[in-house]
Amino acid sequence: MTPTTPKHASYDVIIIGGAIMGSSTAWFLSDNSDFNGSVLVIDRDLTFETCSTAHTNSCIRQQFSSALNVKISQFAADFVKNIRSYMGGDERVPNLSIRNFGYLYLANTDAFAEVLRESQMVQKAAGAATEVLTSDEIKARYPFYDVDDIVAGSINTVDEGYFDGLAVFDWWKRQARERGVEYIENEVIAITRTTSGTRVKSITLKSGEVIACGQVVNASGPRAILTAGMAGVDLPVEPRKRFTWIFKADQPLDQNLPLTIDPTGIHVRENGGGTYEVGGYNHNAPDLACAYDDHQMDFTLWENYVWPIVATRIPQFEAVKVQSEWAGHYAMNTFDHNAIMGPHTEVENFIFLNGFSGHGLQQSPAMGRGTAEWITYGEYRTLDMTPFNYARIPENRPIIEKAVI
């Protein structure tokens, strides 16, 4: 039976949202010998059927334009490849790997080619194996592309590609529970601050319970603005719909297909067994916020927009058959498309873990670890995540990340 009622009236840490970010934080807290507090994770649906994590394309890349984002993905790659070791040698934990077909960013203008070259310098300085290729070099390595309009491309086939993100998610939940983290299926409907307004003192559940707390983590995904609003806090995060298609090619490619980011923004990658995965949205239409429960597919988008782009870039995909399709949500940070972390500037025990804008799953190991460090020590002990702290929002200090898909 799914638990819906908390066992206690007070917790040291309450995490609102149990998907990939909430469960990463819960697990890293449970794994830290310096933390001995109680943790409650609250989610509206413990099946996680419609959450962003369940609809992820489960890919990882180091091709970012900021060094911190590169290092965050490098830790994720290490965690995935050594997950059993990180989880105490538990032999039940599967040995995971990364399918290193890489990411290939295609530039059809000199300006974007220069962005790729600048970003490559940042990535190489951080230890990434990114290369910038001419169109002729791309064609030589991957003859199936039409690159007549392409100026350059960047690719890295080391720790870039696909991994089993749902396996990581499942084991974070399982081990966290085994170590005493409590998960309940319920909904937070109110957050009460102290008389001074500088701290959250309790949350109220839909079922009526009022639960006292030491610290609150907002890990509510696309609904993060609702959670923040209950605490009287502003947050520039909203749900944006993103579409995914799996298709089978009549003539499969004879080599792995990198996750190819077309200049239009549509991306396509290897899926295995002669199948391929495409993701994106209509970049010719306004990218507006959607309803939180809107997972309706646009069944005209494939034929009218997406497939023509894919088939133009890879003519061998002229004859394909869609096998499955779905719509998921990005938790879009409309301020600068980067993570929002750390405490609120006034409500000191209200902690953000929001706004990952489509690259949350690959960043979840470092983000959960960093949040657990902040809760335990009041500072970051491994990667310094301070640039992502909420304070940059009211101070209007955006992080410029040029590699947003």
Side-chain angles (χ1 to χ4, degrees):
M1 182 177 293
T2 302
T4 59
T5 304
K7 296 177 181 178
H8 308 289
S10 177
Y11 292 84
D12 294 298
V13 179
I14 292 178
I15 300 173
I16 304 175
I20 196 74
M21 290 298 170
S23 288
S24 176
T25 301
W27 184 84
F28 275 99
L29 284 170
S30 77
D31 196 57
N32 189 335
S33 59
D34 290 335
F35 177 81
N36 58 5
S38 55
V39 181
L40 175 67
V41 179
I42 305 166
D43 201 279
R44 301 168 67 255
D45 178 14
L46 289 184
T47 70
F48 300 102
E49 183 178 1
T50 61
C51 73
S52 296
T53 303
H55 295 106
T56 178
N57 290 348
S58 205
C59 290
I60 185 169
R61 61 183 164 108
Q62 295 178 40
Q63 289 187 72
F64 289 92
S65 65
S66 73
L68 181 52
N69 275 331
V70 178
K71 292 175 183 177
I72 285 167
S73 286
Q74 288 172 333
F75 173 66
D78 187 70
F79 189 93
V80 169
K81 293 187 297 182
N82 298 285
I83 184 171
R84 182 180 290 182
S85 176
Y86 275 103
M87 292 193 155
D90 188 337
E91 293 185 357
R92 299 172 302 166
V93 177
N95 289 312
L96 301 180
S97 61
I98 297 172
R99 289 193 59 196
N100 290 302
F101 45 66
Y103 274 60
L104 175 63
Y105 281 84
L106 295 174
N108 62 348
T109 66
D110 291 332
F112 188 47
E114 183 59 26
V115 169
L116 294 182
R117 285 188 282 267
E118 291 172 356
S119 296
Q120 182 214 20
M121 298 304 292
V122 173
Q123 294 153 22
K124 288 192 72 174
T130 309
E131 301 175 84
V132 176
L133 308 177
T134 66
S135 59
D136 288 343
E137 288 171 330
I138 295 169
K139 189 71 172 178
R141 291 193 192 185
Y142 303 101
F144 48 78
Y145 288 122
D146 182 336
V147 292
D148 286 349
D149 62 328
I150 297 303
V151 176
S154 68
I155 189 165
N156 172 18
T157 56
V158 179
D159 291 339
E160 283 203 358
Y162 169 86
F163 72 103
D164 190 346
L166 293 182
V168 176
F169 177 42
D170 287 343
W171 276 100
W172 276 338
K173 289 184 296 178
R174 183 181 300 194
Q175 273 205 349
R177 284 183 171 119
E178 291 173 351
R179 294 169 172 179
V181 173
E182 188 178 339
Y183 280 70
I184 64 169
E185 185 172 288
N186 211 311
E187 186 174 352
V188 176
I189 61 169
I191 296 175
T192 303
R193 286 158 61 167
T194 57
T195 303
S196 65
T198 59
R199 294 183 64 84
V200 172
K201 70 175 182 179
S202 66
I203 59 98
T204 302
L205 297 175
K206 190 174 184 179
S207 52
E209 296 90 345
V210 177
I211 313 299
C213 55
Q215 300 188 73
V216 177
V217 178
N218 180 359
S220 306
R223 297 175 183 264
I225 190 174
L226 302 180
T227 300
M230 286 186 279
V233 170
D234 293 326
L235 186 65
V237 174
E238 61 187 33
R240 297 284 182 85
K241 192 185 284 190
R242 295 295 183 265
F243 300 94
T244 301
W245 297 264
I246 303 289
F247 70 82
K248 188 171 183 64
D250 281 4
Q251 298 181 41
L253 304 176
D254 61 3
Q255 61 188 109
N256 283 338
L257 174 65
L259 193 150
T260 307
I261 301 98
D262 190 80
T264 60
I266 295 299
H267 52 90
V268 56
R269 71 163 172 86
E270 179 72 32
N271 194 59
T275 67
Y276 303 87
E277 183 173 288
V278 181
Y281 64 103
N282 188 349
H283 291 74
N284 293 328
D287 186 23
L288 304 175
C290 62
Y292 295 107
D293 58 355
D294 177 10
H295 291 89
Q296 181 67 38
M297 280 297 296
D298 179 349
F299 293 106
T300 67
L301 192 56
W302 173 258
E303 288 287 345
N304 296 341
Y305 180 71
V306 175
W307 172 69
I309 291 172
V310 172
T312 297
R313 183 61 58 204
I314 306 174
Q316 203 165 321
F317 289 161
E318 181 68 27
V320 301
K321 182 177 181 180
V322 173
Q323 294 186 323
S324 61
E325 53 192 345
W326 64 87
H329 292 167
Y330 276 9
M332 184 65 74
N333 170 5
T334 59
F335 178 68
D336 64 8
H337 304 291
N338 274 291
I340 301 170
M341 296 181 67
H344 187 254
T345 48
E346 297 174 4
V347 188
E348 60 189 24
N349 65 337
F350 187 84
I351 298 170
F352 297 92
L353 196 55
N354 307 116
F356 293 91
S357 307
H359 43 268
L361 187 123
Q362 65 184 294
Q363 294 195 324
S364 58
M367 296 301 179
R369 180 182 64 173
T371 302
E373 289 171 351
W374 185 272
I375 290 170
T376 305
Y377 307 113
E379 64 180 4
Y380 301 114
R381 293 284 180 90
T382 49
L383 288 176
D384 182 7
M385 301 293 201
T386 304
F388 291 130
N389 276 7
Y390 174 85
R392 79 180 190 277
I393 308 296
E395 294 171 6
N396 195 29
R397 292 185 288 103
I399 297 172
I400 304 302
E401 172 54 64
K402 300 172 184 177
V404 175
I405 301 176

